[in-house]
Amino acid sequence: MKLGLPIILTIASLAATADARSLKPEQEALIKPDGKAVSCIPISQIRSSRVRDDSTIDFYMNNRKVYRNKLPSRCPSLGFQERFSYATSISQLCSTDIITVLFSNPNFMPGASCGLGQFQPVTGAPK
């Protein structure tokens, strides 16, 4: 019996501006939960992502929803580098997946690998 190899997707989140880091307290206060947290989000619906700090990533979806992922532990250099990659063999990004920080050198050298948390839908997250 011949088994097909799983397709592995790797996507890098590249921050477009320097303001991608932590929000000001008054901006953070505007972000509110908007429903129950989910374990997975469809990769095909992710429009962009924004690294907020070493343990927070906002995922902006095609349908205008925003999912905030609070990593269970701090991921060293994530907030400074503001870019990461992930690999998955399914069409969803899940809380069981691992991200890897990418350093902004000529070769995008990999840094720390860290687990994701639940995806909490939120309102009020600025781009």
Side-chain angles (χ1 to χ4, degrees):
M1 178 165 126
K2 185 176 179 182
L3 296 176
L5 294 173
I7 297 173
I8 301 206
L9 301 172
T10 302
I11 310 266
S13 170
L14 301 174
T17 61
D19 66 348
R21 295 197 186 135
S22 296
L23 298 172
K24 296 176 183 173
E26 59 271 16
Q27 291 174 305
E28 193 67 48
L30 297 175
I31 299 173
K32 304 288 182 206
D34 187 29
K36 187 178 176 185
V38 296
S39 296
C40 300
I41 56 174
I43 292 172
S44 65
Q45 295 299 308
I46 299 172
R47 183 181 60 203
S48 64
S49 62
R50 182 65 54 107
V51 174
R52 297 295 178 190
D53 56 35
D54 282 352
S55 60
T56 309
I57 305 170
D58 289 340
F59 289 90
Y60 294 83
M61 311 301 282
N62 287 335
N63 61 4
R64 296 184 165 223
K65 279 192 172 191
V66 179
Y67 288 93
R68 174 159 281 194
N69 194 290
K70 293 290 280 180
L71 283 61
S73 300
R74 186 181 153 278
C75 194
S77 296
L78 178 62
F80 182 76
Q81 295 300 324
E82 299 175 345
R83 62 181 50 89
F84 60 92
S85 68
Y86 57 85
T88 180
S89 59
I90 61 172
S91 61
Q92 298 185 78
L93 186 60
C94 297
S95 60
T96 56
D97 289 325
I98 304 293
I99 63 167
T100 300
V101 175
L102 295 177
F103 283 89
S104 55
N105 61 21
N107 300 322
F108 288 107
M109 188 170 90
S113 291
C114 307
L116 289 171
Q118 294 283 304
F119 294 86
Q120 173 65 56
V122 295
T123 59
K127 185 78 170 126

